Amino acid sequence: KVEIDTFSGYKIYPSKGRLFVRGDSRVFRFASSKNESLFLQRKNPRKIAWTVVFRRMHKKGITEEVAKKRSRKTVKHQRGIVGADMKSILAKRNQTTQERAAVRSAAIAKAKDVKKDKETKKAKAKAPARPTGSNAPKVSKQQAKGSGGGGNKSARY
């Protein structure tokens, strides 16, 4: 079986090369003592120009193999989004600043009117809820809950 050199990426044919087994049981195969020496010096094969890894990284010798891929240009489409179709978006885009300001001020005025109406309705609804002439003392929820027993705390455990 033809093996691959761990450092250089070259082919190692049967009965050739050396095997190095590290302490963690990882197996490294080397085609020549040069490759083994560089590996043991902890050299990076990506920085050594003649290794297969370097050549792959720097795209050497692959020009005749693979023609350059053509990239398609993206085409922009304009579409409506949820809540607004394309016509309304274009209409808003083509508005002048005066038109925009007028629409905005109208919307603000309308919102203020709605808020004022709500507040007046609240005030009207709240006024007759409690009669003003009654002289009954105000009783909170807490007082209403504890109104039975007459303060005999020693009986409760």
Side-chain angles (χ1 to χ4, degrees):
K1 182 186 173 193
V2 176
E3 302 289 348
I4 303 272
D5 187 313
T6 312
F7 185 81
S8 66
Y10 290 173
K11 290 179 181 175
I12 306 171
Y13 291 97
S15 79
K16 303 293 178 199
R18 270 180 142 187
L19 196 71
F20 173 71
V21 182
R22 202 162 56 186
D24 63 353
S25 301
R26 180 117 189 262
V27 176
F28 299 94
R29 300 173 190 280
F30 303 109
S32 65
S33 58
K34 172 183 171 181
N35 297 345
E36 187 179 9
S37 171
L38 289 167
F39 174 82
L40 292 172
Q41 290 172 52
R42 296 183 178 273
K43 298 287 183 194
N44 189 351
R46 289 173 189 83
K47 292 183 178 177
I48 297 173
W50 51 267
T51 62
V52 172
V53 183
F54 177 93
R55 293 181 67 77
R56 272 201 201 115
M57 255 182 68
H58 294 84
K59 298 181 173 63
K60 305 288 182 191
I62 54 166
T63 49
E64 70 278 338
E65 250 181 60
V66 181
K68 191 176 178 184
K69 289 182 181 177
R70 289 181 187 165
S71 59
R72 296 181 62 174
K73 284 195 174 184
T74 55
V75 180
K76 288 188 179 180
H77 292 289
Q78 289 186 329
R79 295 188 290 203
I81 55 172
V82 176
D85 59 332
M86 199 59 209
K87 287 179 186 174
S88 62
I89 292 171
L90 288 172
K92 281 185 182 175
R93 186 192 291 168
N94 296 333
Q95 275 183 345
T96 62
T97 51
Q98 290 88 1
E99 286 174 335
R100 243 182 241 129
V103 170
R104 186 179 291 127
S105 60
I108 290 170
K110 186 179 177 186
K112 282 183 180 176
D113 289 342
V114 169
K115 191 176 181 185
K116 200 179 280 184
D117 290 345
K118 275 188 182 176
E119 284 181 8
T120 54
K121 282 181 183 176
K122 252 190 197 175
K124 285 179 185 176
K126 207 172 194 182
R130 204 164 62 125
T132 54
S134 67
N135 292 331
K138 293 181 186 174
V139 179
S140 70
K141 283 185 181 177
Q142 207 65 28
Q143 288 169 334
K145 279 184 183 175
S147 64
N152 190 2
K153 288 185 182 175
S154 60
R156 225 182 307 163
Y157 287 104

mmCIF file with all atom_site columns, all heavy atoms in Angstrom, residues 28-49:
data_model
loop_
_atom_site.group_PDB
_atom_site.id
_atom_site.type_symbol
_atom_site.label_atom_id
_atom_site.label_alt_id
_atom_site.label_comp_id
_atom_site.label_asym_id
_atom_site.label_entity_id
_atom_site.label_seq_id
_atom_site.pdbx_PDB_ins_code
_atom_site.Cartn_x
_atom_site.Cartn_y
_atom_site.Cartn_z
_atom_site.occupancy
_atom_site.B_iso_or_equiv
_atom_site.pdbx_formal_charge
_atom_site.auth_seq_id
_atom_site.auth_comp_id
_atom_site.auth_asym_id
_atom_site.auth_atom_id
_atom_site.pdbx_PDB_model_num
ATOM 1   N N   . PHE A 1 28 ? 3.683  8.556  12.610 1.00 0.00 ? 28 PHE A N   1
ATOM 2   C CA  . PHE A 1 28 ? 4.124  9.493  11.568 1.00 0.00 ? 28 PHE A CA  1
ATOM 3   C C   . PHE A 1 28 ? 5.005  8.733  10.596 1.00 0.00 ? 28 PHE A C   1
ATOM 4   O O   . PHE A 1 28 ? 5.881  7.977  11.001 1.00 0.00 ? 28 PHE A O   1
ATOM 5   C CB  . PHE A 1 28 ? 4.917  10.645 12.187 1.00 0.00 ? 28 PHE A CB  1
ATOM 6   C CG  . PHE A 1 28 ? 4.120  11.456 13.170 1.00 0.00 ? 28 PHE A CG  1
ATOM 7   C CD1 . PHE A 1 28 ? 4.176  11.170 14.517 1.00 0.00 ? 28 PHE A CD1 1
ATOM 8   C CD2 . PHE A 1 28 ? 3.309  12.490 12.746 1.00 0.00 ? 28 PHE A CD2 1
ATOM 9   C CE1 . PHE A 1 28 ? 3.441  11.906 15.429 1.00 0.00 ? 28 PHE A CE1 1
ATOM 10  C CE2 . PHE A 1 28 ? 2.569  13.235 13.649 1.00 0.00 ? 28 PHE A CE2 1
ATOM 11  C CZ  . PHE A 1 28 ? 2.631  12.938 14.996 1.00 0.00 ? 28 PHE A CZ  1
ATOM 12  N N   . ARG A 1 29 ? 4.777  8.952  9.305  1.00 0.00 ? 29 ARG A N   1
ATOM 13  C CA  . ARG A 1 29 ? 5.576  8.275  8.272  1.00 0.00 ? 29 ARG A CA  1
ATOM 14  C C   . ARG A 1 29 ? 6.368  9.326  7.510  1.00 0.00 ? 29 ARG A C   1
ATOM 15  O O   . ARG A 1 29 ? 5.847  10.383 7.182  1.00 0.00 ? 29 ARG A O   1
ATOM 16  C CB  . ARG A 1 29 ? 4.657  7.523  7.307  1.00 0.00 ? 29 ARG A CB  1
ATOM 17  C CG  . ARG A 1 29 ? 3.827  6.464  7.982  1.00 0.00 ? 29 ARG A CG  1
ATOM 18  C CD  . ARG A 1 29 ? 2.801  5.855  7.048  1.00 0.00 ? 29 ARG A CD  1
ATOM 19  N NE  . ARG A 1 29 ? 1.862  5.011  7.756  1.00 0.00 ? 29 ARG A NE  1
ATOM 20  C CZ  . ARG A 1 29 ? 2.113  3.765  8.124  1.00 0.00 ? 29 ARG A CZ  1
ATOM 21  N NH1 . ARG A 1 29 ? 3.264  3.204  7.846  1.00 0.00 ? 29 ARG A NH1 1
ATOM 22  N NH2 . ARG A 1 29 ? 1.196  3.070  8.773  1.00 0.00 ? 29 ARG A NH2 1
ATOM 23  N N   . PHE A 1 30 ? 7.650  9.000  7.221  1.00 0.00 ? 30 PHE A N   1
ATOM 24  C CA  . PHE A 1 30 ? 8.516  9.941  6.518  1.00 0.00 ? 30 PHE A CA  1
ATOM 25  C C   . PHE A 1 30 ? 9.154  9.257  5.327  1.00 0.00 ? 30 PHE A C   1
ATOM 26  O O   . PHE A 1 30 ? 9.635  8.120  5.428  1.00 0.00 ? 30 PHE A O   1
ATOM 27  C CB  . PHE A 1 30 ? 9.606  10.470 7.459  1.00 0.00 ? 30 PHE A CB  1
ATOM 28  C CG  . PHE A 1 30 ? 9.036  11.124 8.695  1.00 0.00 ? 30 PHE A CG  1
ATOM 29  C CD1 . PHE A 1 30 ? 9.151  10.507 9.928  1.00 0.00 ? 30 PHE A CD1 1
ATOM 30  C CD2 . PHE A 1 30 ? 8.384  12.327 8.611  1.00 0.00 ? 30 PHE A CD2 1
ATOM 31  C CE1 . PHE A 1 30 ? 8.624  11.086 11.059 1.00 0.00 ? 30 PHE A CE1 1
ATOM 32  C CE2 . PHE A 1 30 ? 7.848  12.924 9.741  1.00 0.00 ? 30 PHE A CE2 1
ATOM 33  C CZ  . PHE A 1 30 ? 7.972  12.290 10.971 1.00 0.00 ? 30 PHE A CZ  1
ATOM 34  N N   . ALA A 1 31 ? 9.201  9.961  4.181  1.00 0.00 ? 31 ALA A N   1
ATOM 35  C CA  . ALA A 1 31 ? 9.781  9.421  2.956  1.00 0.00 ? 31 ALA A CA  1
ATOM 36  C C   . ALA A 1 31 ? 11.300 9.469  3.026  1.00 0.00 ? 31 ALA A C   1
ATOM 37  O O   . ALA A 1 31 ? 11.984 8.607  2.474  1.00 0.00 ? 31 ALA A O   1
ATOM 38  C CB  . ALA A 1 31 ? 9.289  10.189 1.746  1.00 0.00 ? 31 ALA A CB  1
ATOM 39  N N   . SER A 1 32 ? 11.853 10.486 3.729  1.00 0.00 ? 32 SER A N   1
ATOM 40  C CA  . SER A 1 32 ? 13.311 10.620 3.778  1.00 0.00 ? 32 SER A CA  1
ATOM 41  C C   . SER A 1 32 ? 13.725 11.145 5.144  1.00 0.00 ? 32 SER A C   1
ATOM 42  O O   . SER A 1 32 ? 12.906 11.645 5.912  1.00 0.00 ? 32 SER A O   1
ATOM 43  C CB  . SER A 1 32 ? 13.788 11.578 2.680  1.00 0.00 ? 32 SER A CB  1
ATOM 44  O OG  . SER A 1 32 ? 13.296 12.868 2.952  1.00 0.00 ? 32 SER A OG  1
ATOM 45  N N   . SER A 1 33 ? 15.034 11.056 5.415  1.00 0.00 ? 33 SER A N   1
ATOM 46  C CA  . SER A 1 33 ? 15.558 11.547 6.694  1.00 0.00 ? 33 SER A CA  1
ATOM 47  C C   . SER A 1 33 ? 15.438 13.070 6.763  1.00 0.00 ? 33 SER A C   1
ATOM 48  O O   . SER A 1 33 ? 15.331 13.648 7.841  1.00 0.00 ? 33 SER A O   1
ATOM 49  C CB  . SER A 1 33 ? 17.009 11.122 6.866  1.00 0.00 ? 33 SER A CB  1
ATOM 50  O OG  . SER A 1 33 ? 17.784 11.628 5.788  1.00 0.00 ? 33 SER A OG  1
ATOM 51  N N   . LYS A 1 34 ? 15.440 13.721 5.600  1.00 0.00 ? 34 LYS A N   1
ATOM 52  C CA  . LYS A 1 34 ? 15.273 15.181 5.545  1.00 0.00 ? 34 LYS A CA  1
ATOM 53  C C   . LYS A 1 34 ? 13.904 15.572 6.133  1.00 0.00 ? 34 LYS A C   1
ATOM 54  O O   . LYS A 1 34 ? 13.808 16.455 6.989  1.00 0.00 ? 34 LYS A O   1
ATOM 55  C CB  . LYS A 1 34 ? 15.367 15.634 4.090  1.00 0.00 ? 34 LYS A CB  1
ATOM 56  C CG  . LYS A 1 34 ? 15.032 17.090 3.831  1.00 0.00 ? 34 LYS A CG  1
ATOM 57  C CD  . LYS A 1 34 ? 15.108 17.316 2.324  1.00 0.00 ? 34 LYS A CD  1
ATOM 58  C CE  . LYS A 1 34 ? 14.584 18.652 1.901  1.00 0.00 ? 34 LYS A CE  1
ATOM 59  N NZ  . LYS A 1 34 ? 14.650 18.812 0.446  1.00 0.00 ? 34 LYS A NZ  1
ATOM 60  N N   . ASN A 1 35 ? 12.853 14.854 5.692  1.00 0.00 ? 35 ASN A N   1
ATOM 61  C CA  . ASN A 1 35 ? 11.507 15.129 6.198  1.00 0.00 ? 35 ASN A CA  1
ATOM 62  C C   . ASN A 1 35 ? 11.421 14.857 7.693  1.00 0.00 ? 35 ASN A C   1
ATOM 63  O O   . ASN A 1 35 ? 10.831 15.630 8.443  1.00 0.00 ? 35 ASN A O   1
ATOM 64  C CB  . ASN A 1 35 ? 10.475 14.268 5.474  1.00 0.00 ? 35 ASN A CB  1
ATOM 65  C CG  . ASN A 1 35 ? 10.402 14.578 3.994  1.00 0.00 ? 35 ASN A CG  1
ATOM 66  O OD1 . ASN A 1 35 ? 10.904 15.597 3.550  1.00 0.00 ? 35 ASN A OD1 1
ATOM 67  N ND2 . ASN A 1 35 ? 9.802  13.686 3.235  1.00 0.00 ? 35 ASN A ND2 1
ATOM 68  N N   . GLU A 1 36 ? 12.018 13.748 8.117  1.00 0.00 ? 36 GLU A N   1
ATOM 69  C CA  . GLU A 1 36 ? 11.985 13.372 9.531  1.00 0.00 ? 36 GLU A CA  1
ATOM 70  C C   . GLU A 1 36 ? 12.700 14.419 10.385 1.00 0.00 ? 36 GLU A C   1
ATOM 71  O O   . GLU A 1 36 ? 12.203 14.848 11.425 1.00 0.00 ? 36 GLU A O   1
ATOM 72  C CB  . GLU A 1 36 ? 12.642 12.004 9.723  1.00 0.00 ? 36 GLU A CB  1
ATOM 73  C CG  . GLU A 1 36 ? 12.508 11.473 11.135 1.00 0.00 ? 36 GLU A CG  1
ATOM 74  C CD  . GLU A 1 36 ? 13.144 10.096 11.300 1.00 0.00 ? 36 GLU A CD  1
ATOM 75  O OE1 . GLU A 1 36 ? 13.841 9.626  10.373 1.00 0.00 ? 36 GLU A OE1 1
ATOM 76  O OE2 . GLU A 1 36 ? 12.935 9.507  12.368 1.00 0.00 ? 36 GLU A OE2 1
ATOM 77  N N   . SER A 1 37 ? 13.857 14.853 9.910  1.00 0.00 ? 37 SER A N   1
ATOM 78  C CA  . SER A 1 37 ? 14.655 15.835 10.640 1.00 0.00 ? 37 SER A CA  1
ATOM 79  C C   . SER A 1 37 ? 13.893 17.142 10.801 1.00 0.00 ? 37 SER A C   1
ATOM 80  O O   . SER A 1 37 ? 13.830 17.712 11.887 1.00 0.00 ? 37 SER A O   1
ATOM 81  C CB  . SER A 1 37 ? 15.964 16.080 9.895  1.00 0.00 ? 37 SER A CB  1
ATOM 82  O OG  . SER A 1 37 ? 16.651 17.155 10.475 1.00 0.00 ? 37 SER A OG  1
ATOM 83  N N   . LEU A 1 38 ? 13.281 17.615 9.714  1.00 0.00 ? 38 LEU A N   1
ATOM 84  C CA  . LEU A 1 38 ? 12.514 18.864 9.771  1.00 0.00 ? 38 LEU A CA  1
ATOM 85  C C   . LEU A 1 38 ? 11.304 18.730 10.711 1.00 0.00 ? 38 LEU A C   1
ATOM 86  O O   . LEU A 1 38 ? 10.968 19.658 11.449 1.00 0.00 ? 38 LEU A O   1
ATOM 87  C CB  . LEU A 1 38 ? 12.053 19.275 8.374  1.00 0.00 ? 38 LEU A CB  1
ATOM 88  C CG  . LEU A 1 38 ? 13.166 19.771 7.452  1.00 0.00 ? 38 LEU A CG  1
ATOM 89  C CD1 . LEU A 1 38 ? 12.690 19.850 6.012  1.00 0.00 ? 38 LEU A CD1 1
ATOM 90  C CD2 . LEU A 1 38 ? 13.689 21.123 7.909  1.00 0.00 ? 38 LEU A CD2 1
ATOM 91  N N   . PHE A 1 39 ? 10.671 17.550 10.698 1.00 0.00 ? 39 PHE A N   1
ATOM 92  C CA  . PHE A 1 39 ? 9.530  17.306 11.589 1.00 0.00 ? 39 PHE A CA  1
ATOM 93  C C   . PHE A 1 39 ? 9.980  17.348 13.049 1.00 0.00 ? 39 PHE A C   1
ATOM 94  O O   . PHE A 1 39 ? 9.335  17.982 13.890 1.00 0.00 ? 39 PHE A O   1
ATOM 95  C CB  . PHE A 1 39 ? 8.907  15.947 11.263 1.00 0.00 ? 39 PHE A CB  1
ATOM 96  C CG  . PHE A 1 39 ? 7.821  15.545 12.215 1.00 0.00 ? 39 PHE A CG  1
ATOM 97  C CD1 . PHE A 1 39 ? 6.529  16.020 12.061 1.00 0.00 ? 39 PHE A CD1 1
ATOM 98  C CD2 . PHE A 1 39 ? 8.086  14.695 13.275 1.00 0.00 ? 39 PHE A CD2 1
ATOM 99  C CE1 . PHE A 1 39 ? 5.523  15.653 12.943 1.00 0.00 ? 39 PHE A CE1 1
ATOM 100 C CE2 . PHE A 1 39 ? 7.091  14.319 14.158 1.00 0.00 ? 39 PHE A CE2 1
ATOM 101 C CZ  . PHE A 1 39 ? 5.806  14.799 13.993 1.00 0.00 ? 39 PHE A CZ  1
ATOM 102 N N   . LEU A 1 40 ? 11.119 16.692 13.346 1.00 0.00 ? 40 LEU A N   1
ATOM 103 C CA  . LEU A 1 40 ? 11.612 16.630 14.727 1.00 0.00 ? 40 LEU A CA  1
ATOM 104 C C   . LEU A 1 40 ? 12.124 18.005 15.196 1.00 0.00 ? 40 LEU A C   1
ATOM 105 O O   . LEU A 1 40 ? 12.170 18.262 16.393 1.00 0.00 ? 40 LEU A O   1
ATOM 106 C CB  . LEU A 1 40 ? 12.704 15.572 14.864 1.00 0.00 ? 40 LEU A CB  1
ATOM 107 C CG  . LEU A 1 40 ? 12.200 14.127 14.679 1.00 0.00 ? 40 LEU A CG  1
ATOM 108 C CD1 . LEU A 1 40 ? 13.367 13.161 14.633 1.00 0.00 ? 40 LEU A CD1 1
ATOM 109 C CD2 . LEU A 1 40 ? 11.215 13.740 15.770 1.00 0.00 ? 40 LEU A CD2 1
ATOM 110 N N   . GLN A 1 41 ? 12.481 18.873 14.258 1.00 0.00 ? 41 GLN A N   1
ATOM 111 C CA  . GLN A 1 41 ? 12.858 20.253 14.613 1.00 0.00 ? 41 GLN A CA  1
ATOM 112 C C   . GLN A 1 41 ? 11.623 21.136 14.775 1.00 0.00 ? 41 GLN A C   1
ATOM 113 O O   . GLN A 1 41 ? 11.743 22.338 14.999 1.00 0.00 ? 41 GLN A O   1
ATOM 114 C CB  . GLN A 1 41 ? 13.734 20.858 13.502 1.00 0.00 ? 41 GLN A CB  1
ATOM 115 C CG  . GLN A 1 41 ? 15.113 20.256 13.400 1.00 0.00 ? 41 GLN A CG  1
ATOM 116 C CD  . GLN A 1 41 ? 15.820 20.779 12.165 1.00 0.00 ? 41 GLN A CD  1
ATOM 117 O OE1 . GLN A 1 41 ? 15.893 21.986 11.952 1.00 0.00 ? 41 GLN A OE1 1
ATOM 118 N NE2 . GLN A 1 41 ? 16.338 19.875 11.344 1.00 0.00 ? 41 GLN A NE2 1
ATOM 119 N N   . ARG A 1 42 ? 10.455 20.507 14.639 1.00 0.00 ? 42 ARG A N   1
ATOM 120 C CA  . ARG A 1 42 ? 9.158  21.194 14.763 1.00 0.00 ? 42 ARG A CA  1
ATOM 121 C C   . ARG A 1 42 ? 8.988  22.319 13.727 1.00 0.00 ? 42 ARG A C   1
ATOM 122 O O   . ARG A 1 42 ? 8.419  23.372 14.024 1.00 0.00 ? 42 ARG A O   1
ATOM 123 C CB  . ARG A 1 42 ? 8.951  21.741 16.171 1.00 0.00 ? 42 ARG A CB  1
ATOM 124 C CG  . ARG A 1 42 ? 8.880  20.662 17.211 1.00 0.00 ? 42 ARG A CG  1
ATOM 125 C CD  . ARG A 1 42 ? 8.611  21.237 18.567 1.00 0.00 ? 42 ARG A CD  1
ATOM 126 N NE  . ARG A 1 42 ? 8.499  20.188 19.562 1.00 0.00 ? 42 ARG A NE  1
ATOM 127 C CZ  . ARG A 1 42 ? 7.389  19.538 19.867 1.00 0.00 ? 42 ARG A CZ  1
ATOM 128 N NH1 . ARG A 1 42 ? 6.275  19.809 19.233 1.00 0.00 ? 42 ARG A NH1 1
ATOM 129 N NH2 . ARG A 1 42 ? 7.375  18.608 20.806 1.00 0.00 ? 42 ARG A NH2 1
ATOM 130 N N   . LYS A 1 43 ? 9.517  22.084 12.528 1.00 0.00 ? 43 LYS A N   1
ATOM 131 C CA  . LYS A 1 43 ? 9.330  23.062 11.449 1.00 0.00 ? 43 LYS A CA  1
ATOM 132 C C   . LYS A 1 43 ? 7.895  22.954 10.918 1.00 0.00 ? 43 LYS A C   1
ATOM 133 O O   . LYS A 1 43 ? 7.313  21.870 10.910 1.00 0.00 ? 43 LYS A O   1
ATOM 134 C CB  . LYS A 1 43 ? 10.299 22.802 10.294 1.00 0.00 ? 43 LYS A CB  1
ATOM 135 C CG  . LYS A 1 43 ? 11.755 22.916 10.677 1.00 0.00 ? 43 LYS A CG  1
ATOM 136 C CD  . LYS A 1 43 ? 12.151 24.345 10.895 1.00 0.00 ? 43 LYS A CD  1
ATOM 137 C CE  . LYS A 1 43 ? 13.638 24.449 11.205 1.00 0.00 ? 43 LYS A CE  1
ATOM 138 N NZ  . LYS A 1 43 ? 14.008 25.748 11.725 1.00 0.00 ? 43 LYS A NZ  1
ATOM 139 N N   . ASN A 1 44 ? 7.362  24.063 10.463 1.00 0.00 ? 44 ASN A N   1
ATOM 140 C CA  . ASN A 1 44 ? 5.998  24.073 9.933  1.00 0.00 ? 44 ASN A CA  1
ATOM 141 C C   . ASN A 1 44 ? 6.040  23.789 8.429  1.00 0.00 ? 44 ASN A C   1
ATOM 142 O O   . ASN A 1 44 ? 6.595  24.591 7.672  1.00 0.00 ? 44 ASN A O   1
ATOM 143 C CB  . ASN A 1 44 ? 5.362  25.436 10.204 1.00 0.00 ? 44 ASN A CB  1
ATOM 144 C CG  . ASN A 1 44 ? 3.888  25.466 9.890  1.00 0.00 ? 44 ASN A CG  1
ATOM 145 O OD1 . ASN A 1 44 ? 3.357  24.530 9.307  1.00 0.00 ? 44 ASN A OD1 1
ATOM 146 N ND2 . ASN A 1 44 ? 3.236  26.542 10.265 1.00 0.00 ? 44 ASN A ND2 1
ATOM 147 N N   . PRO A 1 45 ? 5.428  22.682 7.965  1.00 0.00 ? 45 PRO A N   1
ATOM 148 C CA  . PRO A 1 45 ? 5.489  22.357 6.535  1.00 0.00 ? 45 PRO A CA  1
ATOM 149 C C   . PRO A 1 45 ? 4.777  23.384 5.660  1.00 0.00 ? 45 PRO A C   1
ATOM 150 O O   . PRO A 1 45 ? 5.045  23.475 4.468  1.00 0.00 ? 45 PRO A O   1
ATOM 151 C CB  . PRO A 1 45 ? 4.806  20.994 6.436  1.00 0.00 ? 45 PRO A CB  1
ATOM 152 C CG  . PRO A 1 45 ? 4.044  20.830 7.699  1.00 0.00 ? 45 PRO A CG  1
ATOM 153 C CD  . PRO A 1 45 ? 4.737  21.648 8.726  1.00 0.00 ? 45 PRO A CD  1
ATOM 154 N N   . ARG A 1 46 ? 3.892  24.195 6.258  1.00 0.00 ? 46 ARG A N   1
ATOM 155 C CA  . ARG A 1 46 ? 3.199  25.234 5.484  1.00 0.00 ? 46 ARG A CA  1
ATOM 156 C C   . ARG A 1 46 ? 4.145  26.362 5.077  1.00 0.00 ? 46 ARG A C   1
ATOM 157 O O   . ARG A 1 46 ? 3.841  27.135 4.188  1.00 0.00 ? 46 ARG A O   1
ATOM 158 C CB  . ARG A 1 46 ? 2.039  25.809 6.299  1.00 0.00 ? 46 ARG A CB  1
ATOM 159 C CG  . ARG A 1 46 ? 0.884  24.857 6.450  1.00 0.00 ? 46 ARG A CG  1
ATOM 160 C CD  . ARG A 1 46 ? -0.157 25.392 7.404  1.00 0.00 ? 46 ARG A CD  1
ATOM 161 N NE  . ARG A 1 46 ? -1.168 24.392 7.703  1.00 0.00 ? 46 ARG A NE  1
ATOM 162 C CZ  . ARG A 1 46 ? -1.042 23.449 8.619  1.00 0.00 ? 46 ARG A CZ  1
ATOM 163 N NH1 . ARG A 1 46 ? 0.060  23.377 9.344  1.00 0.00 ? 46 ARG A NH1 1
ATOM 164 N NH2 . ARG A 1 46 ? -1.995 22.567 8.815  1.00 0.00 ? 46 ARG A NH2 1
ATOM 165 N N   . LYS A 1 47 ? 5.301  26.449 5.778  1.00 0.00 ? 47 LYS A N   1
ATOM 166 C CA  . LYS A 1 47 ? 6.256  27.523 5.490  1.00 0.00 ? 47 LYS A CA  1
ATOM 167 C C   . LYS A 1 47 ? 7.452  27.047 4.666  1.00 0.00 ? 47 LYS A C   1
ATOM 168 O O   . LYS A 1 47 ? 8.343  27.829 4.358  1.00 0.00 ? 47 LYS A O   1
ATOM 169 C CB  . LYS A 1 47 ? 6.760  28.138 6.796  1.00 0.00 ? 47 LYS A CB  1
ATOM 170 C CG  . LYS A 1 47 ? 5.677  28.904 7.542  1.00 0.00 ? 47 LYS A CG  1
ATOM 171 C CD  . LYS A 1 47 ? 6.229  29.546 8.783  1.00 0.00 ? 47 LYS A CD  1
ATOM 172 C CE  . LYS A 1 47 ? 5.155  30.349 9.495  1.00 0.00 ? 47 LYS A CE  1
ATOM 173 N NZ  . LYS A 1 47 ? 5.647  30.927 10.744 1.00 0.00 ? 47 LYS A NZ  1
ATOM 174 N N   . ILE A 1 48 ? 7.481  25.754 4.372  1.00 0.00 ? 48 ILE A N   1
ATOM 175 C CA  . ILE A 1 48 ? 8.600  25.204 3.592  1.00 0.00 ? 48 ILE A CA  1
ATOM 176 C C   . ILE A 1 48 ? 8.123  24.985 2.160  1.00 0.00 ? 48 ILE A C   1
ATOM 177 O O   . ILE A 1 48 ? 7.193  24.213 1.902  1.00 0.00 ? 48 ILE A O   1
ATOM 178 C CB  . ILE A 1 48 ? 9.122  23.913 4.244  1.00 0.00 ? 48 ILE A CB  1
ATOM 179 C CG1 . ILE A 1 48 ? 9.673  24.277 5.621  1.00 0.00 ? 48 ILE A CG1 1
ATOM 180 C CG2 . ILE A 1 48 ? 10.178 23.259 3.374  1.00 0.00 ? 48 ILE A CG2 1
ATOM 181 C CD1 . ILE A 1 48 ? 10.084 23.124 6.463  1.00 0.00 ? 48 ILE A CD1 1
ATOM 182 N N   . ALA A 1 49 ? 8.786  25.674 1.223  1.00 0.00 ? 49 ALA A N   1
ATOM 183 C CA  . ALA A 1 49 ? 8.251  25.866 -0.117 1.00 0.00 ? 49 ALA A CA  1
ATOM 184 C C   . ALA A 1 49 ? 8.059  24.583 -0.923 1.00 0.00 ? 49 ALA A C   1
ATOM 185 O O   . ALA A 1 49 ? 7.168  24.524 -1.760 1.00 0.00 ? 49 ALA A O   1
ATOM 186 C CB  . ALA A 1 49 ? 9.149  26.814 -0.894 1.00 0.00 ? 49 ALA A CB  1
#
